Amino acid sequence: VELECFMCMGEFDDGDYAPMMMCMNQHSCCAPCLQELLKNDSSKQVACPHCGSPVIRKAVTKNRLLLTIFDLVKEYKKRVTQL
C-alpha cells in the first residue's frame, strides 16, 4: 500500500495532503497535485497520470480507505517504537 502521493512523493495526511481518489481505478494523489493537474489542463477531459483513465471532476473525493490505512500504520509504528 502506497502511503505517499505517486506524483510528488509527499506523505499523505488528513489535511492539506489528503489522498484524493481521481479515477475509476481508485488511483490517488495528494490534493495539491490534483489541483495542479486540474489547473494546468483547461480541457474538460483530464486523464489520470497513473493509468490514463478519465478524471471525472465531480466524482473526485478523499480516499477514506487510504486515510484509514494511513492512521492504522501510524498507530502501529507508534506502538512498535514504545516496545
Side-chain angles (χ1 to χ4, degrees):
V1 173
E2 292 180 27
L3 298 176
E4 61 187 27
C5 174
F6 74 91
M7 293 174 70
C8 70
M9 307 312 245
E11 190 172 289
F12 289 133
D13 63 27
D14 196 16
D16 293 338
Y17 288 90
M20 304 301 291
M21 200 170 355
M22 69 173 107
C23 71
M24 65 183 179
N25 292 318
Q26 300 183 358
H27 294 126
S28 296
C29 67
C30 68
C33 284
L34 181 63
Q35 288 173 348
E36 192 66 25
L37 178 71
L38 296 176
K39 180 179 84 173
N40 285 341
D41 194 329
S42 60
S43 71
K44 293 186 182 200
Q45 189 71 7
V46 178
C48 170
H50 192 70
C51 68
S53 294
V55 174
I56 301 169
R57 294 169 193 253
K58 291 181 181 179
V60 171
T61 185
K62 278 187 182 179
N63 189 331
R64 298 280 177 205
L65 178 60
L66 200 52
L67 284 172
T68 300
I69 292 169
F70 178 77
D71 287 341
L72 291 171
V73 168
K74 195 162 72 171
E75 182 63 29
Y76 175 77
K77 287 180 180 179
K78 184 177 167 183
R79 291 180 186 215
V80 167
T81 57
Q82 293 174 350
L83 295 179

